[in-house]
Coordinates of all heavy atoms in Angstrom, one line a residue:
M1 N 122.1 127.2 103.6 CA 121.5 128.0 102.7 C 120.2 128.4 103.2 O 119.3 127.7 103.7 CB 121.2 127.3 101.4 CG 120.5 128.1 100.3 SD 120.3 127.1 98.9 CE 120.2 128.3 97.7
P2 N 120.0 129.7 103.6 CA 118.8 130.2 104.2 C 117.6 130.1 103.2 O 117.8 130.2 102.0 CB 119.2 131.6 104.5 CG 120.1 132.0 103.7 CD 120.9 130.9 103.3
L3 N 116.4 129.9 103.9 CA 115.2 129.8 103.0 C 114.7 131.2 102.7 O 114.9 132.2 103.5 CB 114.1 129.1 103.7 CG 114.4 127.7 104.2 CD1 113.2 127.1 105.0 CD2 114.4 126.8 102.9
P4 N 114.1 131.4 101.6 CA 113.7 132.6 101.1 C 112.4 133.0 102.0 O 111.8 132.3 102.6 CB 113.4 132.6 99.7 CG 113.1 131.1 99.5 CD 114.0 130.4 100.5
D5 N 112.3 134.4 102.2 CA 111.2 134.9 102.9 C 109.9 134.9 102.1 O 109.0 135.8 102.2 CB 111.5 136.3 103.4 CG 112.6 136.3 104.5 OD1 112.8 135.3 105.1 OD2 113.2 137.4 104.5
T6 N 109.6 133.8 101.5 CA 108.4 133.6 100.6 C 107.3 132.8 101.5 O 107.6 131.9 102.0 CB 108.8 132.9 99.4 OG1 109.9 133.5 98.7 CG2 107.6 132.9 98.4
M7 N 106.2 133.3 101.3 CA 105.0 132.6 101.8 C 104.6 131.6 100.8 O 104.7 131.6 99.7 CB 103.9 133.6 102.0 CG 104.0 134.6 103.0 SD 104.1 134.0 104.7 CE 102.4 133.5 104.9
F8 N 104.4 130.4 101.4 CA 104.0 129.2 100.6 C 102.5 128.9 100.8 O 101.9 129.2 101.8 CB 104.6 128.0 101.2 CG 106.2 128.0 100.9 CD1 107.1 128.4 102.0 CD2 106.8 127.7 99.8 CE1 108.5 128.5 101.7 CE2 108.1 127.7 99.6 CZ 109.0 128.1 100.5
C9 N 102.0 128.6 99.5 CA 100.6 128.1 99.6 C 100.5 126.7 99.6 O 101.6 126.0 99.3 CB 99.8 128.9 98.4 SG 100.4 128.4 96.8
A10 N 99.3 126.1 99.6 CA 99.2 124.7 99.8 C 99.6 124.0 98.5 O 100.2 122.8 98.5 CB 97.8 124.3 100.1
Q11 N 99.6 124.7 97.4 CA 99.9 124.1 96.0 C 101.5 124.1 95.9 O 102.0 123.3 95.1 CB 99.3 124.9 94.9 CG 97.9 124.8 94.7 CD 97.1 125.7 95.7 OE1 97.7 126.6 96.4 NE2 95.9 125.4 95.9
Q12 N 102.3 124.8 96.6 CA 103.7 124.8 96.6 C 104.3 123.8 97.4 O 105.5 123.5 97.2 CB 104.3 126.2 97.0 CG 103.9 127.2 96.0 CD 104.5 128.6 96.5 OE1 104.0 129.0 97.6 NE2 105.2 129.3 95.7
I13 N 103.5 123.3 98.5 CA 104.2 122.3 99.4 C 103.9 121.0 99.1 O 102.8 120.5 98.8 CB 103.6 122.5 100.8 CG1 104.0 124.0 101.2 CG2 104.1 121.6 101.7 CD1 103.4 124.4 102.5
H14 N 104.9 120.1 98.7 CA 104.8 118.7 98.4 C 104.9 117.8 99.7 O 105.8 118.0 100.5 CB 105.9 118.3 97.5 CG 105.9 116.8 97.3 ND1 105.1 116.2 96.5 CD2 106.8 115.8 97.8 CE1 105.3 114.8 96.5 NE2 106.4 114.6 97.3
I15 N 103.9 117.0 100.0 CA 103.7 116.1 101.0 C 103.9 114.8 100.5 O 103.0 114.4 99.8 CB 102.4 116.3 101.9 CG1 102.4 117.8 102.5 CG2 102.3 115.3 102.9 CD1 101.1 118.1 103.0
P16 N 105.0 114.0 101.0 CA 105.0 112.5 100.5 C 103.8 111.8 100.8 O 103.3 112.0 101.9 CB 106.3 112.2 101.2 CG 106.9 113.4 101.5 CD 106.0 114.4 101.9
P17 N 103.2 110.9 99.9 CA 102.0 110.3 100.2 C 102.1 109.4 101.3 O 101.1 109.0 102.0 CB 101.8 109.5 98.9 CG 103.1 109.7 98.2 CD 103.8 110.8 98.7
E18 N 103.3 108.9 101.8 CA 103.4 108.0 102.9 C 103.5 108.6 104.3 O 103.3 108.1 105.3 CB 104.5 107.1 102.8 CG 105.9 107.8 102.7 CD 106.4 108.2 101.5 OE1 105.7 108.2 100.4 OE2 107.5 108.8 101.3
L19 N 103.6 110.1 104.4 CA 103.7 110.7 105.5 C 102.6 110.7 106.4 O 102.8 110.4 107.7 CB 104.2 112.2 105.3 CG 104.4 113.0 106.5 CD1 105.5 112.6 107.3 CD2 104.7 114.5 106.2
P20 N 101.3 110.9 106.0 CA 100.2 110.7 106.8 C 100.1 109.4 107.5 O 99.9 109.3 108.8 CB 99.0 111.1 105.9 CG 99.5 111.8 104.8 CD 101.0 111.4 104.6
D21 N 100.4 108.3 106.9 CA 100.4 107.1 107.5 C 101.4 106.9 108.7 O 101.2 106.4 109.6 CB 100.4 105.8 106.5 CG 100.1 104.5 107.1 OD1 99.1 104.4 107.7 OD2 101.0 103.7 106.8
I22 N 102.7 107.3 108.1 CA 103.8 107.2 109.2 C 103.4 108.1 110.5 O 103.6 107.5 111.6 CB 105.0 107.8 108.5 CG1 105.6 107.0 107.4 CG2 106.1 108.0 109.6 CD1 106.7 107.5 106.6
L23 N 102.9 109.2 110.4 CA 102.3 110.0 111.5 C 101.4 109.4 112.2 O 101.3 109.4 113.5 CB 102.2 111.4 111.0 CG 103.2 112.2 110.5 CD1 102.8 113.5 110.1 CD2 104.5 112.4 111.5
K24 N 100.5 108.7 111.6 CA 99.2 108.1 112.2 C 99.7 106.8 113.1 O 99.4 106.7 114.2 CB 98.3 107.6 111.3 CG 97.1 106.9 111.9 CD 96.1 106.7 110.8 CE 94.8 105.9 111.2 NZ 93.9 105.7 110.2
Q25 N 100.6 106.1 112.4 CA 101.3 105.0 113.2 C 102.1 105.4 114.3 O 102.0 104.7 115.5 CB 102.0 104.0 112.1 CG 101.2 103.3 111.1 CD 100.1 102.6 111.7 OE1 100.0 101.8 112.6 NE2 98.9 102.8 111.0
F26 N 102.8 106.5 114.2 CA 103.7 107.0 115.3 C 102.8 107.4 116.5 O 103.0 106.9 117.5 CB 104.5 108.1 114.7 CG 105.1 109.0 115.7 CD1 106.2 108.6 116.5 CD2 104.6 110.2 116.1 CE1 106.8 109.3 117.6 CE2 105.2 111.0 117.2 CZ 106.2 110.5 117.9
T27 N 101.7 108.1 116.1 CA 100.9 108.7 117.1 C 100.3 107.5 118.0 O 100.1 107.5 119.2 CB 99.7 109.5 116.5 OG1 100.3 110.6 115.8 CG2 98.8 110.1 117.6
K28 N 99.7 106.5 117.3 CA 99.1 105.3 117.9 C 100.1 104.6 118.8 O 99.7 104.2 119.8 CB 98.6 104.4 116.9 CG 97.3 104.9 116.2 CD 96.9 103.8 115.2 CE 95.7 104.0 114.5 NZ 95.2 103.0 113.5
A29 N 101.4 104.4 118.3 CA 102.5 103.8 119.0 C 102.7 104.6 120.4 O 102.9 104.0 121.5 CB 103.7 103.7 118.2
A30 N 102.8 106.0 120.2 CA 103.1 106.8 121.4 C 102.0 106.7 122.4 O 102.2 106.7 123.6 CB 103.3 108.2 120.9
I31 N 100.7 106.6 122.1 CA 99.6 106.5 122.9 C 99.6 105.3 123.6 O 99.5 105.1 124.9 CB 98.2 106.8 122.2 CG1 98.1 108.2 121.8 CG2 97.1 106.4 123.1 CD1 97.0 108.4 120.8
R32 N 99.9 104.0 122.9 CA 100.0 102.7 123.6 C 101.1 102.6 124.5 O 100.9 102.0 125.5 CB 100.1 101.7 122.4 CG 98.8 101.3 121.8 CD 99.0 100.1 121.0 NE 100.0 100.0 120.1 CZ 100.0 100.4 118.8 NH1 98.9 100.8 118.3 NH2 101.1 100.4 118.1
T33 N 102.2 103.2 124.1 CA 103.5 102.9 124.9 C 103.6 103.9 126.0 O 104.2 103.5 127.2 CB 104.6 103.1 123.9 OG1 104.7 102.2 122.9 CG2 106.0 102.8 124.6
Q34 N 103.0 105.2 125.9 CA 103.0 106.0 127.1 C 104.5 106.2 127.6 O 104.8 106.0 128.8 CB 102.2 105.6 128.2 CG 100.7 105.5 127.7 CD 100.0 106.9 127.7 OE1 100.1 107.7 128.7 NE2 99.5 107.2 126.6
P35 N 105.4 106.7 126.6 CA 106.9 106.8 127.1 C 107.0 108.0 128.2 O 106.3 109.0 128.0 CB 107.6 107.2 125.9 CG 106.6 107.9 124.9 CD 105.3 107.1 125.3
A36 N 107.8 107.8 129.0 CA 108.2 108.8 130.1 C 108.8 110.1 129.4 O 108.5 111.2 129.7 CB 109.1 108.4 131.1
D37 N 109.8 109.8 128.5 CA 110.5 110.9 127.8 C 110.1 110.8 126.3 O 110.6 110.0 125.6 CB 111.9 110.7 127.9 CG 112.7 111.9 127.4 OD1 112.1 112.6 126.4 OD2 113.8 112.1 127.8
V38 N 109.1 111.6 125.9 CA 108.5 111.5 124.6 C 109.6 111.7 123.4 O 109.6 111.1 122.5 CB 107.2 112.3 124.3 CG1 106.7 112.2 123.0 CG2 106.1 111.9 125.3
L39 N 110.4 112.8 123.7 CA 111.3 113.1 122.7 C 112.5 111.9 122.6 O 112.7 111.7 121.4 CB 112.0 114.4 123.1 CG 111.2 115.7 123.0 CD1 112.0 116.8 123.5 CD2 110.7 115.8 121.7
Q40 N 112.9 111.4 123.6 CA 113.9 110.4 123.6 C 113.3 109.2 122.9 O 113.9 108.5 122.0 CB 114.4 110.1 124.9 CG 115.5 109.0 125.0 CD 116.1 108.6 126.3 OE1 115.5 109.1 127.3 NE2 117.1 107.9 126.3
W41 N 112.1 108.9 123.3 CA 111.3 107.7 122.7 C 111.1 108.0 121.2 O 111.4 107.1 120.4 CB 110.1 107.4 123.4 CG 109.3 106.3 122.8 CD1 109.4 104.9 123.1 CD2 108.2 106.4 121.8 NE1 108.6 104.2 122.3 CE2 107.8 105.1 121.6 CE3 107.7 107.5 121.2 CZ2 106.8 104.8 120.7 CZ3 106.6 107.2 120.3 CH2 106.3 105.8 120.0
S42 N 110.8 109.1 120.8 CA 110.4 109.4 119.4 C 111.8 109.2 118.6 O 111.7 108.7 117.5 CB 109.9 110.9 119.3 OG 108.9 111.0 119.9
A43 N 112.9 109.7 119.1 CA 114.1 109.5 118.4 C 114.5 108.0 118.2 O 115.0 107.6 117.1 CB 115.3 110.2 119.2
G44 N 114.3 107.3 119.2 CA 114.5 105.8 119.2 C 113.5 105.2 118.1 O 113.8 104.3 117.3
Y45 N 112.3 105.6 118.1 CA 111.2 105.1 117.2 C 111.7 105.3 115.9 O 111.6 104.4 115.0 CB 109.9 105.8 117.6 CG 108.7 105.3 116.7 CD1 107.9 104.2 117.0 CD2 108.5 106.0 115.4 CE1 106.9 103.8 116.2 CE2 107.4 105.6 114.7 CZ 106.6 104.6 115.0 OH 105.7 104.1 114.3
F46 N 111.9 106.6 115.4 CA 112.2 106.9 114.1 C 113.6 106.3 113.7 O 113.8 106.0 112.4 CB 112.2 108.4 113.8 CG 110.7 108.9 113.7 CD1 110.1 109.7 114.8 CD2 110.0 108.6 112.7 CE1 108.8 110.1 114.8 CE2 108.6 108.9 112.7 CZ 108.1 109.7 113.7
S47 N 114.6 106.2 114.6 CA 115.8 105.5 114.3 C 115.6 104.0 113.9 O 116.1 103.5 112.9 CB 116.9 105.6 115.4 OG 117.3 107.0 115.6
A48 N 114.7 103.4 114.7 CA 114.5 101.9 114.4 C 113.7 101.9 113.1 O 114.0 101.0 112.3 CB 113.7 101.4 115.7
L49 N 112.8 102.7 112.9 CA 112.0 102.7 111.7 C 112.8 102.9 110.5 O 112.8 102.1 109.5 CB 110.8 103.8 111.7 CG 109.9 103.9 110.5 CD1 109.0 102.6 110.5 CD2 109.0 105.1 110.7
S50 N 113.8 103.9 110.5 CA 114.8 103.9 109.3 C 115.8 102.9 109.1 O 116.0 102.6 108.0 CB 115.6 105.3 109.5 OG 116.5 105.2 110.6
R51 N 116.0 102.1 110.2 CA 116.9 101.0 110.0 C 116.2 99.6 109.7 O 116.8 98.6 109.5 CB 117.8 100.8 111.3 CG 118.8 101.9 111.5 CD 119.8 101.6 112.6 NE 119.0 101.2 113.9 CZ 118.7 101.9 114.9 NH1 119.1 103.2 114.9 NH2 118.0 101.4 116.0
G52 N 114.9 99.7 110.0 CA 114.2 98.5 109.8 C 114.2 97.5 111.0 O 113.9 96.4 110.9
D53 N 114.6 98.1 112.2 CA 114.7 97.4 113.4 C 113.3 97.3 114.0 O 112.4 98.1 113.6 CB 115.6 98.1 114.4 CG 117.1 98.0 113.9 OD1 117.5 97.2 113.1 OD2 117.9 98.8 114.5
P54 N 113.2 96.4 115.0 CA 111.9 96.4 115.7 C 111.6 97.7 116.4 O 112.6 98.2 117.1 CB 112.0 95.3 116.8 CG 113.1 94.4 116.2 CD 114.0 95.2 115.5
L55 N 110.4 98.1 116.2 CA 110.0 99.5 117.0 C 109.7 99.4 118.6 O 109.3 98.3 119.0 CB 108.7 100.0 116.3 CG 108.8 100.2 114.8 CD1 107.5 100.6 114.4 CD2 109.8 101.3 114.4
P56 N 110.2 100.3 119.3 CA 110.0 100.3 120.7 C 108.6 100.7 121.1 O 108.3 101.7 121.7 CB 110.9 101.4 121.2 CG 110.9 102.4 120.1 CD 110.9 101.6 118.8
V57 N 107.6 99.7 120.8 CA 106.3 99.8 121.0 C 105.5 98.8 121.8 O 105.9 97.5 121.5 CB 105.5 100.0 119.5 CG1 104.0 100.1 119.6 CG2 106.1 101.1 118.7
K58 N 104.7 99.2 122.7 CA 104.0 98.2 123.3 C 102.8 97.7 122.4 O 102.3 98.6 121.6 CB 103.4 98.8 124.6 CG 104.3 99.0 125.6 CD 103.8 99.5 126.9 CE 104.9 99.9 128.0 NZ 104.3 100.4 129.1
D59 N 102.2 96.6 122.7 CA 101.2 96.0 121.8 C 99.9 96.7 122.3 O 98.9 96.8 121.4 CB 101.0 94.5 122.1 CG 102.2 93.7 121.6 OD1 102.8 94.1 120.5 OD2 102.5 92.7 122.2
R60 N 99.8 97.1 123.5 CA 98.6 97.8 124.0 C 98.9 98.8 125.1 O 100.1 98.5 125.7 CB 97.5 96.8 124.3 CG 97.8 95.8 125.5 CD 96.8 94.8 125.7 NE 97.3 93.8 126.7 CZ 97.3 94.0 128.1 NH1 96.7 95.2 128.5 NH2 97.7 93.2 128.9
I61 N 98.0 99.6 125.4 CA 98.2 100.5 126.5 C 98.1 99.7 127.7 O 97.2 98.8 127.9 CB 97.3 101.7 126.4 CG1 97.8 102.7 127.6 CG2 95.7 101.2 126.7 CD1 97.0 104.1 127.4
E62 N 98.8 100.0 128.8 CA 98.8 99.3 130.1 C 98.6 100.4 131.2 O 99.3 101.4 131.3 CB 100.2 98.6 130.3 CG 100.5 97.6 129.5 CD 101.9 97.0 129.7 OE1 102.9 97.8 130.1 OE2 102.0 95.8 129.7
M63 N 97.5 100.2 132.0 CA 97.2 101.1 133.1 C 98.0 100.6 134.2 O 98.1 99.5 134.5 CB 95.8 101.0 133.2 CG 94.9 101.4 132.1 SD 95.3 102.9 131.4 CE 94.8 104.1 132.4
P64 N 98.6 101.6 135.0 CA 99.3 101.1 136.2 C 98.4 100.7 137.3 O 97.4 101.2 137.5 CB 100.0 102.4 136.7 CG 99.2 103.6 136.0 CD 98.6 103.0 134.8
V65 N 98.8 99.4 137.7 CA 98.0 98.7 138.9 C 98.8 98.6 140.1 O 98.2 98.4 141.1 CB 97.5 97.4 138.4 CG1 96.5 97.5 137.2 CG2 98.7 96.4 137.9
A66 N 100.1 98.6 140.0 CA 100.9 98.3 141.2 C 101.0 99.7 142.1 O 101.2 100.7 141.5 CB 102.3 97.9 140.8
T67 N 100.7 99.6 143.3 CA 100.9 100.7 144.2 C 101.9 100.5 145.3 O 101.9 101.0 146.4 CB 99.5 101.0 144.8 OG1 98.9 99.9 145.4 CG2 98.5 101.5 143.7
Q68 N 102.6 99.3 145.2 CA 103.6 99.0 146.3 C 104.7 99.9 146.2 O 105.1 100.4 145.2 CB 104.1 97.5 146.0 CG 102.8 96.5 146.2 CD 103.2 95.1 145.8 OE1 104.5 94.9 145.6 NE2 102.4 94.1 145.9
K69 N 105.4 100.1 147.3 CA 106.5 100.8 147.3 C 107.7 100.3 146.6 O 108.7 101.0 146.2 CB 107.0 101.0 148.9 CG 106.0 101.9 149.5 CD 106.5 102.1 151.1 CE 105.5 102.8 151.8 NZ 105.9 103.1 153.3
T70 N 107.6 98.9 146.4 CA 108.8 98.3 145.7 C 108.5 98.2 144.0 O 109.2 97.6 143.4 CB 109.0 96.9 146.1 OG1 107.8 96.1 146.0 CG2 109.4 96.9 147.6
D71 N 107.5 99.0 143.6 CA 107.2 98.9 142.3 C 108.2 99.6 141.4 O 108.7 100.6 141.7 CB 105.8 99.8 142.0 CG 105.5 99.8 140.6 OD1 105.8 98.9 139.8 OD2 104.7 100.8 140.1
T72 N 108.7 98.7 140.4 CA 109.9 99.2 139.7 C 109.4 99.9 138.4 O 110.3 100.4 137.8 CB 110.7 97.9 139.1 OG1 109.9 97.1 138.3 CG2 111.2 97.1 140.4
G73 N 108.2 99.9 138.1 CA 107.7 100.5 136.8 C 107.9 99.5 135.6 O 107.4 99.9 134.5
L74 N 108.5 98.4 135.8 CA 108.4 97.4 134.6 C 107.1 96.7 134.6 O 106.5 96.2 135.5 CB 109.6 96.4 135.0 CG 111.0 96.9 134.9 CD1 111.9 95.7 135.2 CD2 111.3 97.3 133.5
T75 N 106.7 96.7 133.5 CA 105.4 96.1 133.1 C 105.6 94.9 132.1 O 106.7 95.0 131.4 CB 104.4 97.0 132.4 OG1 104.9 97.6 131.3 CG2 104.1 98.2 133.4
Q76 N 104.6 94.1 131.9 CA 104.9 93.0 130.9 C 105.2 93.6 129.6 O 106.0 93.1 128.7 CB 103.7 92.1 130.9 CG 103.9 90.9 130.1 CD 102.7 89.9 130.3 OE1 101.6 90.3 130.7 NE2 102.9 88.6 130.0
G77 N 104.3 94.6 129.0 CA 104.5 95.2 127.8 C 105.9 95.9 127.6 O 106.6 95.8 126.6
L78 N 106.4 96.5 128.7 CA 107.7 97.1 128.6 C 108.8 96.0 128.5 O 109.7 96.2 127.7 CB 108.0 98.0 129.9 CG 109.3 98.7 129.9 CD1 109.5 99.7 128.6 CD2 109.5 99.6 131.1
L79 N 108.7 95.0 129.2 CA 109.7 93.9 129.1 C 109.6 93.3 127.6 O 110.7 92.9 127.2 CB 109.3 92.8 130.1 CG 109.7 93.3 131.5 CD1 109.2 92.1 132.5 CD2 111.2 93.5 131.7
K80 N 108.4 93.2 126.9 CA 108.4 92.7 125.5 C 109.1 93.6 124.6 O 109.8 93.2 123.8 CB 106.9 92.6 125.2 CG 106.2 91.3 125.9 CD 104.7 91.2 125.3 CE 104.1 90.1 125.9 NZ 102.6 90.0 125.4
V81 N 108.9 94.9 125.0 CA 109.6 96.0 124.0 C 111.1 95.8 124.2 O 111.8 95.7 123.1 CB 109.1 97.4 124.3 CG1 110.0 98.4 123.7 CG2 107.7 97.6 124.0
L82 N 111.6 95.7 125.3 CA 113.0 95.7 125.7 C 113.5 94.3 125.0 O 114.7 94.2 124.4 CB 113.2 95.6 127.2 CG 113.0 97.0 127.8 CD1 113.2 96.9 129.3 CD2 113.9 98.0 127.2
H83 N 112.8 93.2 125.2 CA 113.1 91.9 124.6 C 113.4 92.1 123.1 O 114.2 91.5 122.5 CB 112.1 90.8 125.0 CG 112.7 89.5 124.6 ND1 112.1 89.0 123.5 CD2 113.6 88.6 125.0 CE1 112.6 87.7 123.2 NE2 113.6 87.5 124.2
K84 N 112.3 92.7 122.3 CA 112.4 92.9 120.9 C 113.6 93.6 120.4 O 114.1 93.3 119.5 CB 111.1 93.6 120.5 CG 109.8 92.8 120.5 CD 108.7 93.6 119.9 CE 107.4 93.1 120.2 NZ 106.3 94.1 119.8
Q85 N 114.0 94.6 121.2 CA 115.1 95.4 121.0 C 116.4 94.7 121.1 O 117.4 95.1 120.3 CB 115.1 96.8 121.8 CG 114.0 97.6 121.4 CD 114.0 99.0 122.1 OE1 114.2 99.0 123.3 NE2 113.8 100.0 121.5
V86 N 116.5 93.7 122.0 CA 117.8 93.0 122.3 C 117.7 91.9 121.3 O 118.6 91.7 120.5 CB 117.9 92.5 123.6 CG1 118.9 91.6 123.9 CG2 117.8 93.5 124.6

C-alpha cells in the first residue's frame, strides 16, 4: 500500500519511547566493536536483540597494536564476542 503524499509534522509522527535508548546503545556498541562491515554487523546486532541472544558487541574499543605480517585480525575482544555467540 503506497504512502500518501502528505507532509508530516512532528505531532503526527509517533516515536516509541524505547527507540532513543535502543539507538543510543546500538551506536555505542558499533563504536566499541568497530565492525569491518557495518551493515552486516547491524543486521546481526538487531537479529540477536530481537531474539534475546547475546549481542555481537565488544566490551571496549581495541586499538590495533599488531603490525606483524602474520596478524590475523583476531583480538581478545573479538574472540570473546565469538565465544558468546557460540
Side-chain angles (χ1 to χ4, degrees):
M1 175 180 208
L3 294 174
D5 292 333
T6 307
M7 293 292 286
F8 292 98
C9 65
Q11 292 79 15
Q12 292 175 303
I13 300 172
H14 171 71
I15 298 174
E18 63 275 5
L19 182 61
D21 188 52
I22 290 171
L23 293 176
K24 183 177 180 179
Q25 295 305 317
F26 165 75
T27 303
K28 287 180 177 181
I31 291 169
R32 278 193 310 270
T33 305
Q34 297 286 303
D37 185 338
V38 176
L39 292 178
Q40 184 178 10
W41 178 84
S42 299
Y45 178 92
F46 286 111
S47 292
L49 185 64
S50 70
R51 292 189 309 261
D53 292 346
L55 299 174
V57 176
K58 291 182 183 177
D59 296 330
R60 59 185 176 84
I61 190 169
E62 296 175 315
M63 302 308 287
V65 292
T67 57
Q68 300 174 1
K69 291 181 181 179
T70 58
D71 183 23
T72 63
L74 288 176
T75 62
Q76 190 174 20
L78 182 56
L79 290 173
K80 283 182 183 179
V81 169
L82 294 171
H83 183 260
K84 284 182 196 175
Q85 289 181 316
V86 175

